[in-house]
Amino acid sequence: MASPATRQQLKDYILRTLGAPVVEINVDDAQLEDRLDDALQFFAEYHFDGVERRYYRYQITADDMARAAADPLNGGYIPLDDVDPNIISIISLYQFSEMSSNLFDVRYQMALNDFYGIRSGSATMAHYDITKRHLSLIQNMLDPEKMIRFSRVTNRLYIDMNWEEDVSAGAWLVFECYATINPEDFKEIYNDRLLKKYATALVKRQWGMNLSKFENIQLPGGIAFNGSQIYEQANTEVEKIEEEMQLRYELPIDFFTG
């Protein structure tokens, strides 16, 4: 029981950490569920173990083409709800164009002929690298990568291109993204050290908030609730854990260049 592997075990671990069953924890089960959801959401947004890089493919449908034709400015998107509802960011869309490699493509012929030339000494790696960079520059100028836009709220990947000319129904798109890890599929998340501490602090703050409603009520024997102190202690713990997670465990910011 010390290593929770399910949602219920983590809830039991939190209550025991706060003193149960020796002390009654005045928190409803629905409040426990809410605070655990908050902890998992924060963990996914700021901890590198809460997300993973994934690659997905999507086949363009006739409905996608019709939507883009009806609204060229805002209709050119692909819905991602059926792909993965846990996507939080799109990194890139793999480049596609009519300049793709084939038997008569200059890049194919160069790779076919120059490979043995490099090994035999008739060509150098420097010359090969310069040529590859030059071909890449030509492609980027004549057929640059498509601009993309994404929002977690709409879960739509907007692709700024001429849909009628660049793609057709049945074509495949491949994109790279970050998606949150589902704890029900990978239960090791429930045993993460920071997640346990953070979820416990959130529940403790909820406990203090509940008790603060009875701050001025005297119980038999002169006992009085001290919910405000519990709340302040828990709030300090929450802020400290959030700062630690953002400073030590958050993924570095990706920079855009152009």
Side-chain angles (χ1 to χ4, degrees):
M1 295 297 292
S3 301
T6 65
R7 190 180 182 93
Q8 183 59 47
Q9 289 179 5
L10 179 56
K11 289 163 56 178
D12 296 339
Y13 171 87
I14 292 171
L15 294 177
R16 291 196 307 271
T17 303
L18 293 177
V22 178
V23 178
E24 182 179 359
I25 310 301
N26 306 100
V27 178
D28 186 70
D29 187 70
Q31 293 177 320
L32 263 173
E33 290 285 344
D34 291 341
R35 300 295 77 78
L36 184 53
D37 287 338
D38 293 341
L40 288 170
Q41 181 180 6
F42 188 85
F43 182 82
E45 292 179 352
Y46 291 100
H47 199 293
F48 60 81
D49 276 340
V51 296
E52 66 178 355
R53 182 174 294 189
R54 297 177 182 174
Y55 299 88
Y56 288 108
R57 64 176 184 172
Y58 178 87
Q59 189 173 28
I60 297 177
T61 65
D63 292 338
D64 297 329
M65 298 299 298
R67 183 174 57 249
D71 187 0
L73 294 179
N74 298 308
Y77 67 85
I78 58 176
L80 300 180
D81 291 328
D82 295 334
V83 178
D84 188 347
N86 298 317
I87 294 176
I88 61 173
S89 66
I90 304 293
I91 301 174
S92 63
L93 177 70
Y94 277 79
Q95 193 168 5
F96 60 93
S97 68
E98 296 297 330
M99 300 178 66
S100 58
S101 180
N102 55 63
L103 181 62
F104 304 101
D105 185 76
V106 63
R107 292 169 297 179
Y108 177 83
Q109 292 296 324
M110 185 183 70
L112 180 66
N113 297 314
D114 285 1
F115 179 74
Y116 296 100
I118 293 174
R119 294 188 63 183
S120 62
S122 60
T124 63
M125 284 299 299
H127 178 266
Y128 181 80
D129 180 68
I130 292 173
T131 304
K132 292 285 289 184
R133 291 175 183 270
H134 182 65
L135 291 174
S136 178
L137 176 62
I138 293 175
Q139 180 168 6
N140 289 334
M141 292 183 64
L142 299 180
D143 190 15
E145 294 185 6
K146 306 299 186 291
M147 298 297 295
I148 59 175
R149 294 172 285 131
F150 174 75
S151 171
R152 294 175 58 184
V153 177
T154 61
N155 207 25
R156 297 172 176 176
L157 175 58
Y158 287 87
I159 308 173
D160 298 330
M161 63 179 178
N162 189 329
W163 282 68
E164 194 172 341
E165 294 182 1
D166 293 340
V167 292
S168 59
W172 289 92
L173 301 178
V174 179
F175 60 91
E176 183 181 5
C177 67
Y178 277 107
T180 59
I181 298 176
N182 188 349
E184 296 304 317
D185 296 330
F186 302 94
K187 300 183 183 299
E188 294 83 358
I189 291 180
Y190 291 122
N191 195 37
D192 184 85
R193 179 183 65 86
L194 273 183
L195 177 63
K196 291 189 293 185
K197 288 178 59 178
Y198 186 62
T200 302
L202 290 180
V203 174
K204 182 178 179 180
R205 186 169 66 177
Q206 181 68 62
W207 181 25
M209 187 180 301
N210 293 345
L211 292 181
S212 65
K213 311 297 182 182
F214 309 98
E215 192 71 29
N216 297 322
I217 298 179
Q218 293 289 330
L219 298 179
I223 301 174
F225 288 115
N226 197 3
S228 297
Q229 183 177 357
I230 297 177
Y231 178 85
E232 292 173 0
Q233 290 177 352
N235 197 53
T236 301
E237 294 173 6
V238 168
E239 293 177 352
K240 183 178 179 180
I241 296 171
E242 288 180 351
E243 182 180 6
E244 178 185 1
M245 195 174 298
Q246 291 174 354
L247 291 177
R248 299 182 58 185
Y249 297 94
E250 186 178 7
L251 288 173
I253 299 175
D254 289 332
F255 293 94
F256 289 95
T257 59

